Amino acid sequence: MATSAYPPPPPFYRLYKDYEQDPSSAPEPPPPIDGKYEINEVLPSLESQGIRQLYPKGPNIDFKKELRTLNRELQLHILELADILVERPSQYARRVEDISVIFQNLHHLLNSLRPHQARATLIHMLESQIQRRKQAIEDIKQRREEAQKLLGESLLVLDGSQTN
């Protein structure tokens, strides 16, 4: 059985086989989608996913504190798993499940910070654009002043050469 390094092209490439000879032979693009595009930013709760939540519920969560707590708990459980694997290898499954729950809680906390991260990134990008535009405006003003100065000097030179 031969394998290819690349998958075959999608079948609709055949619609464009005569494009180089006749560009109008290509099909028209689909029409734009009408209506509003909405993003649902609601992150499903851990409980709705059947996972035990290890940090407090509510809107006022101290993310930094809870992430540190979960990280310490994860480290402790990993050390306990190492001990159990040495002393009682048959009982490792419960520790692995506990570690899995801690990881799921860590991921959920981090994912709940994504909208904030996206807003902060957008704000930073917009502030950078504003700063670059202000700098460009200042550069243009400086160049304009230099050009006006050169024009003024040139006019003085021309006026001086015409009077002679």
Side-chain angles (χ1 to χ4, degrees), residues 2 12 35 42 54 68 77 84 90 95 98 116 120 130 163-164:
F12 58 82
V42 177
L54 303 176
R68 281 185 176 158
H77 277 73
I84 287 174
S90 62
R95 284 291 173 218
D98 291 345
H116 173 71
I130 289 170
T163 56
N164 288 336

Side-chain angles (χ1 to χ4, degrees), residues 1 4 17 23 25 32 35 46 53 57 67 80 82 86 99 112-113 117 140 156 162 164:
M1 179 175 173
S4 174
K17 65 182 176 182
S25 68
L46 287 170
Q53 185 168 328
K57 296 174 186 155
L67 286 168
E80 288 176 355
V86 169
I99 290 172
S112 62
L113 289 171
Q117 178 189 19
I140 290 170
L156 288 176
Q162 288 179 356
N164 288 336

Side-chain angles (χ1 to χ4, degrees), residues 50-111:
I51 302 167
R52 182 173 40 121
Q53 185 168 328
L54 303 176
Y55 55 90
K57 296 174 186 155
N60 299 326
I61 298 171
D62 183 0
F63 288 95
K64 192 174 184 180
K65 176 181 168 264
E66 296 305 327
L67 286 168
R68 281 185 176 158
T69 302
L70 286 172
N71 190 30
R72 284 190 204 106
E73 195 171 332
L74 177 64
Q75 292 172 2
L76 176 68
H77 277 73
I78 289 174
L79 288 174
E80 288 176 355
L81 176 64
D83 288 342
I84 287 174
L85 285 172
V86 169
E87 296 172 8
R88 305 176 301 276
S90 62
Q91 297 177 2
Y92 78 95
R94 189 174 135 259
R95 284 291 173 218
V96 171
E97 179 61 32
D98 291 345
I99 290 172
S100 176
V101 169
I102 293 170
F103 270 121
Q104 289 168 332
N105 274 265
L106 280 166
H107 281 246
H108 192 268
L109 270 175
L110 291 172
N111 284 335

Side-chain angles (χ1 to χ4, degrees), residues 3-66:
T3 59
S4 174
Y6 297 102
F12 58 82
Y13 81 92
R14 292 183 192 99
L15 299 173
Y16 299 90
K17 65 182 176 182
D18 299 326
Y19 182 76
E20 287 194 16
Q21 288 81 22
D22 183 17
S24 64
S25 68
E28 291 292 318
I33 297 173
D34 290 334
K36 293 170 56 176
Y37 179 77
E38 296 181 18
I39 298 175
N40 184 6
E41 289 187 14
V42 177
L43 183 65
S45 70
L46 287 170
E47 289 176 345
S48 70
Q49 299 175 44
I51 302 167
R52 182 173 40 121
Q53 185 168 328
L54 303 176
Y55 55 90
K57 296 174 186 155
N60 299 326
I61 298 171
D62 183 0
F63 288 95
K64 192 174 184 180
K65 176 181 168 264
E66 296 305 327

